[in-house]
Amino acid sequence: MSTTRTAPSDETAARSELLDERLAQDTGLRGAADAFRRRVRDGDLGLLPVVVGLLVIGLVFYLQDVTYLSSSNLVNITLNAVPYGIIAVGIVLVLLLGEIDLSVGSISGLAGSITAVLVVQNDVPLVFGLLAGAGTGAAIGIAYGLIFTKIGVPSFVITLAGLLGFVGLQYVVLGDTGTINLPRTSPLAQFAREDFLSPAVSYIVVVVVTALYALVSIIGIRRRTAAGLPAQSLTLVLIKSAVMLAGLGFLTYYLNIDRGWGFAVVFFIALVVLLDLVLRKTTWGRHLYAVGGNVEAARRSGINVNWIYISAFSLTGLLAATGGLMFLARLTSVSQASGSNDVNLTAIAAAVIGGVSLFGGRGSAYSALLGVLVLTAINSGLNRIGVDSSVRYIVTGAVLLLAVSIDAIARRARASSGRG
């Protein structure tokens, strides 16, 4: 089996490298295939279950309705996924810490209400209205973090209280009218509903994204090689880049048959990519994983644990508010029902279904992207075949239970292999 370039005489060091995910890099195509099989066998399934799930969902609903995979419906699925997905990205952060935020739906509704009242009823410039809504979410998150770290109240209790309290505050903000409509001519509504990349620009973006991926990967190979660490082969990187270019190019062509990539969708994907880079490439991101994996070990190694908790809760609140603003833009209205429990459950379920461990320390920003696509795709399919909304909840619950069960089984396999 082709594995690493570790000296044969130093078998102990070689085994240590293979157990360390940051160091283990198998060379060649066969080595990459061996590494993939080894990760699956050890319970490190990554994004594989959710990708397989998406393919199964697409096939099942296509057999029920051949228009399910039409470019028009796929564009609608991507647009509808954006608000939930942005909130789910924030949920990923607290789940990585082994905590929870049950109030993201209430925060999203409150943020949308504050922005709508300021912009529509008080003629405040849109930029200031957006800043007020987003700032409210961030401030709530900071308050959560301080209560959690300074007083020691469990995050479940704090955010449950927030869930109830901010619903009441949302009623107060909206006043007697209860509902506020955002003009469809508003730049915010245009951004979420009407603005799409032109075909030429979309293809340029695909080429640029693929080129950046290849460039970053090649730089990584050179840095690892210069440091004397094993690195993936250049051939494998080129194959991955070619597959990415072909896949994204075809998807872009197919979506461009209808309206193409919406500005809001591009914003959401850029947000996911940015957060993924922050989590993997920055000290803050590595400390977040460390705290989620073992908080006491992280504290003893000198990590400012309180800062990690406060910043994570703050970002979760900010992203929940941003998701609420996208709901306002997409629906062009906000009401007392905005940010209801459906938003909470969908956002949390999306992160878990996407592969974020409820036990903390495992998962990625892409979990939110894939998880919300799974739920939105199921919702779209059930609506198209005329299934009652009650069935939608049952199916969503079943999918969530399946995802958590897979995570529990994988966690047991990792523990058995000494990687848990």
Side-chain angles (χ1 to χ4, degrees), residues 6-16:
T6 308
S9 59
D10 194 354
E11 296 181 358
T12 302
R15 284 196 295 271
S16 176

Side-chain angles (χ1 to χ4, degrees), residues 39-178:
R39 288 197 301 269
V40 172
R41 185 187 63 223
D42 292 345
D44 187 4
L45 301 178
L47 299 175
L48 179 62
V50 69
V51 172
V52 173
L54 269 175
L55 295 176
V56 172
I57 291 168
L59 177 62
V60 169
F61 285 117
Y62 175 76
L63 294 176
Q64 299 294 321
D65 180 1
V66 293
T67 63
Y68 176 74
L69 293 180
S70 65
S71 57
S72 173
N73 192 47
L74 293 185
V75 170
N76 288 333
I77 288 176
T78 59
L79 290 173
N80 292 334
V82 170
Y84 293 106
I86 293 175
I87 299 174
V89 169
I91 288 293
V92 169
L93 295 177
V94 291
L95 286 182
L96 286 176
L97 290 172
E99 303 298 334
I100 190 65
D101 187 341
L102 298 175
S103 66
V104 286
S106 301
I107 294 175
S108 71
L110 177 61
S113 301
I114 290 174
T115 299
V117 168
L118 291 176
V119 174
V120 178
Q121 294 186 342
N122 296 281
D123 295 326
V124 172
L126 179 61
V127 172
F128 294 112
L130 293 175
L131 289 175
T136 299
I140 292 172
I142 292 174
Y144 283 168
L146 290 173
I147 295 172
F148 179 78
T149 57
K150 303 301 181 185
I151 303 178
V153 180
S155 60
F156 176 86
V157 178
I158 302 171
T159 56
L160 180 60
L163 183 154
L164 300 172
F166 296 129
V167 169
L169 188 56
Q170 181 179 344
Y171 287 4
V172 174
V173 171
L174 289 174
D176 297 333
T177 57

Side-chain angles (χ1 to χ4, degrees), residues 208-223:
V208 170
V209 167
T210 305
L212 286 176
Y213 169 78
L215 179 63
V216 170
S217 298
I218 292 173
I219 292 175
I221 291 174
R222 290 188 173 183
R223 292 179 62 183

